[in-house]
């Protein structure tokens, strides 16, 4: 399931991220890649242990907490601290699948990467190329979003970043361990929750249809959630 989530960050938050990242040190992006991904990856990244990365990660985590669409799409249990990457002209990330397990730096815990997220920090008109291409159940999906918007998709998906041919593409990326491991079940729950939201615009919460649909959604959650 691929979901576009608009306006995760406000324009002011995007501008703040850009200012901080402009002053940050950038290193070879292969430092966080697995063996297979390292051979495919050619970009820059802010070090995981940098103060700038940690501070901006907190900005993003707060934004996720107030975003109902992210929460209904990902059903998050744990979120990996956001990372930041950069693709200058000529840089790319060939087709790969994300690592299944990620250790959280300094926390002594690991998360299962069920859902991948890319949060765009550069306006699409400021660079050419750099599309995120995701192999979805409906074919290849090419994603290039406004600054502040985010896409979430199954971490099991084969995906790549097309070469940047002009400008520079900056983004944040991270993974979520979902309360519902299976993407097919997450998709069904997402579609049900969105349908319930639409029904509630026309009917009162006390209507039997609303009550029945909400009960069915919550009972499926009880069956499928892993805590």
């Amino acid at each position: 399931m691929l979901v576009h989530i608009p306006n995760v960050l406000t324009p002011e938050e995007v501008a703040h991220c850009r200012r901080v990242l402009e002053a940050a040190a950038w290193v070879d992006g292969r430092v966080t890649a697995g063996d297979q991904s390292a051979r495919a990856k050619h970009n820059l990244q802010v070090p995981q242990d940098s103060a700038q990365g940690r501070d901006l990660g907190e900005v993003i985590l707060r934004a996720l907490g107030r975003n109902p669409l992210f929460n209904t799409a990902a059903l998050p249990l744990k979120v990996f601290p956001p990372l930041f990457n950069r693709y200058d002209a000529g840089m790319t990330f060939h087709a790969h699948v994300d690592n299944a397990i990620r250790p959280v730096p300094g926390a002594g815990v690991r998360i299962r990467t069920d859902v991948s997220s890319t949060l765009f920090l550069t306006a699409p008109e400021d660079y050419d190329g750099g599309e995120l291409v995701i192999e979805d159940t409906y074919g290849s999906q090419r994603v290039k979003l406004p600054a502040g918007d985010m896409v979430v998709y199954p971490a099991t998906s084969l995906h790549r970043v097309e070469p940047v041919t002009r400008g520079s593409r900056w983004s944040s990326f991270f993974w979520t361990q979902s309360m519902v491991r299976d993407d097919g079940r997450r998709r069904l729950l997402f579609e049900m929750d969105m349908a319930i939201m639409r029904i509630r615009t026309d009917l009162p919460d006390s209507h039997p249809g609303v009550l029945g649909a909400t009960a069915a959604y919550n009972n499926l959650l009880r069956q499928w959630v892993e805590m």
Side-chain angles (χ1 to χ4, degrees):
M1 177 179 68
L2 186 155
V3 180
H4 169 201
I5 305 178
N7 304 315
V8 173
L9 296 182
T10 66
E12 293 76 18
E13 287 170 328
V14 171
H16 171 68
C17 289
R18 294 282 308 193
R19 285 193 299 271
V20 173
L21 292 174
E22 284 166 3
W26 295 85
V27 299
D28 191 319
R30 288 175 290 187
V31 295
T32 57
D35 291 340
Q36 180 260 337
S37 294
R39 292 191 290 270
K41 191 174 187 180
H42 181 206
N43 65 5
L44 298 173
Q45 192 167 303
V46 173
Q48 286 183 279
D49 59 353
S50 73
Q52 295 101 325
R54 288 195 301 269
D55 291 346
L56 294 184
E58 289 298 323
V59 171
I60 292 171
L61 291 174
R62 287 194 296 271
L64 297 178
R66 67 177 184 246
N67 191 291
L69 187 55
F70 169 75
N71 284 281
T72 195
L75 295 170
L77 177 63
K78 302 174 185 176
V79 178
F80 191 90
L83 301 171
F84 299 86
N85 62 18
R86 168 178 169 178
Y87 292 81
D88 293 335
M91 294 185 178
T92 187
F93 200 163
H94 300 300
H96 65 285
V97 173
D98 292 335
N99 291 348
I101 304 295
R102 287 273 177 178
V104 179
V109 298
R110 297 179 295 175
I111 75 163
R112 186 185 66 238
T113 57
D114 298 320
V115 179
S116 295
S117 298
T118 297
L119 173 59
F120 289 77
L121 298 173
T122 306
E125 63 270 19
D126 289 344
Y127 63 100
D128 294 331
E131 295 89 351
L132 173 63
V133 182
I134 302 164
E135 299 297 334
D136 189 51
T137 51
Y138 301 104
S140 294
Q141 308 294 317
R142 302 177 71 86
V143 182
K144 188 173 184 178
L145 300 178
D149 285 18
M150 184 170 76
V151 63
V152 300
Y153 57 97
T156 54
S157 302
L158 188 69
H159 58 283
R160 68 183 187 273
V161 176
E162 296 282 57
V164 170
T165 59
R166 177 188 65 87
S168 185
R169 171 200 188 269
W170 296 16
S171 65
S172 176
F173 64 103
F174 55 92
W175 300 272
T176 300
Q177 180 171 329
S178 178
M179 292 184 289
V180 176
R181 181 194 304 239
D182 181 74
D183 179 60
R185 291 176 174 179
R186 283 198 309 275
R187 181 192 295 271
L188 176 59
L189 289 166
F190 176 74
E191 291 172 350
M192 285 185 67
D193 202 16
M194 298 303 292
I196 291 168
M197 291 180 192
R198 288 191 292 270
I199 293 170
R200 290 177 65 193
T201 63
D202 298 322
L203 299 173
D205 287 352
S206 59
H207 189 280
V210 175
L211 292 172
T214 303
Y217 174 85
N218 280 283
N219 287 331
L220 283 174
L221 272 180
R222 287 189 181 92
Q223 290 190 42
W224 293 341
V225 159
E226 302 173 18
M227 300 292 286

